[in-house]
Amino acid sequence: MVKKSVLAAALVAAAALTLSACGSSDNDSKKPIADISVEAKTQAATVLDQPFTKPNLVLTDTHGKKYDLREKTKGKPTLIYFGYTNCPDVCPLIMSNIAIAKKSLPEADRDKLQVVFVTTDPERDTPASLGTWLKSQDPSFIGLTGDFPTIQAGARQIGIGIDAPKKEKDGTVISMHGSQVIAFSPKTDQGYVLYSEDTTPEDYTKDLPKIVKGEKP
């Protein structure tokens, strides 16, 4: 895998502009995704020179209970992704790729790895619907929802840009959101590796054993 090292400050500016436009109508008709990424896509991990601090987020999990992200994932290898369940392709593909790779880990490592999906569409992604969707990906995945301003502020803390979902005249709901996955170290609780939407199951399979240990991929 080709890897690159960048300054976190530059990454924040770039990541905020790296958004995917996901459209879905209320009748679940599929719309093609429009990618307006300003960064060249790569299959590689991006190892950060200056890691992100884990977002200070207190949301609601799929069981309707309060979930303090920092407290619950402290000292655990964690992957965080912001997306929504009605996304026609990018979000389910990313989660599926991670789920496939996670299965390749030894059981002990699978139990350690935390995969957190934070919805960018909290009005439609209720705890129950979010839980049902994630269960089809991997029952161990953690789903979080809450009020949009809180979610948006948490995303910005790690350089992820998201906009409030917008309903078009034809009923299509458009959501603009960054498609990066951030890996947090169990040693420092800092986000030190970034993955793009083009990361394959094979890429994750190679990297996850090191992510679990807090090592650089």
Side-chain angles (χ1 to χ4, degrees), residues 79 93-102 115 141 181 204 208:
L79 301 181
L93 177 62
I94 288 175
M95 299 308 289
S96 175
N97 288 345
I98 294 173
I100 291 170
K102 186 180 176 184
V115 180
F141 285 177
V181 174
Y204 283 120
L208 286 184

Side-chain angles (χ1 to χ4, degrees), residues 23-211:
S24 65
S25 66
D26 290 338
N27 61 7
D28 291 329
S29 62
K30 301 301 183 181
K31 299 284 185 178
I33 190 164
D35 188 354
I36 57 171
S37 172
V38 296
E39 291 184 338
K41 292 183 175 62
T42 174
Q43 299 295 328
T46 300
V47 179
L48 308 180
D49 286 339
Q50 299 179 27
F52 290 112
T53 298
K54 190 173 290 181
N56 184 19
L57 269 176
V58 179
L59 296 170
T60 303
D61 65 17
T62 55
H63 302 289
K65 296 181 179 180
K66 184 179 77 171
Y67 189 97
D68 185 320
L69 181 65
R70 286 183 176 175
E71 178 184 319
K72 294 290 188 179
T73 62
K74 185 177 181 180
K76 300 177 182 179
T78 305
L79 301 181
I80 297 178
Y81 176 71
F82 288 80
Y84 71 119
T85 66
N86 285 281
C87 177
D89 39 28
V90 170
C91 299
L93 177 62
I94 288 175
M95 299 308 289
S96 175
N97 288 345
I98 294 173
I100 291 170
K102 186 180 176 184
K103 291 178 182 178
S104 69
L105 290 170
E107 184 176 355
D109 287 347
R110 290 200 303 271
D111 292 340
K112 293 176 184 176
L113 183 65
Q114 308 293 295
V115 180
V116 180
F117 180 95
V118 184
T119 182
T120 60
D121 184 14
E123 184 174 340
R124 291 188 295 171
D125 284 343
T126 64
S129 64
L130 187 55
T132 298
W133 188 80
L134 285 174
K135 188 176 293 185
S136 68
Q137 298 282 349
D138 185 315
S140 72
F141 285 177
I142 299 161
L144 301 179
T145 188
D147 65 273
F148 184 81
T150 298
I151 292 170
Q152 185 179 52
R156 285 174 175 169
Q157 291 175 39
I158 54 174
I160 305 295
I162 62 175
D163 292 338
K166 179 182 178 182
K167 190 170 184 177
E168 302 294 323
K169 292 181 180 180
D170 64 356
T172 299
V173 177
I174 301 296
S175 177
M176 300 289 289
H177 63 88
S179 57
Q180 302 87 2
V181 174
I182 309 290
F184 289 79
S185 168
K187 296 178 179 179
T188 64
D189 282 319
Q190 292 186 315
Y192 70 115
V193 183
L194 179 148
Y195 294 96
S196 75
E197 66 186 65
D198 286 336
T199 305
T200 67
E202 291 75 21
D203 291 331
Y204 283 120
T205 297
K206 292 177 183 177
D207 287 5
L208 286 184
K210 293 184 179 180
I211 295 296

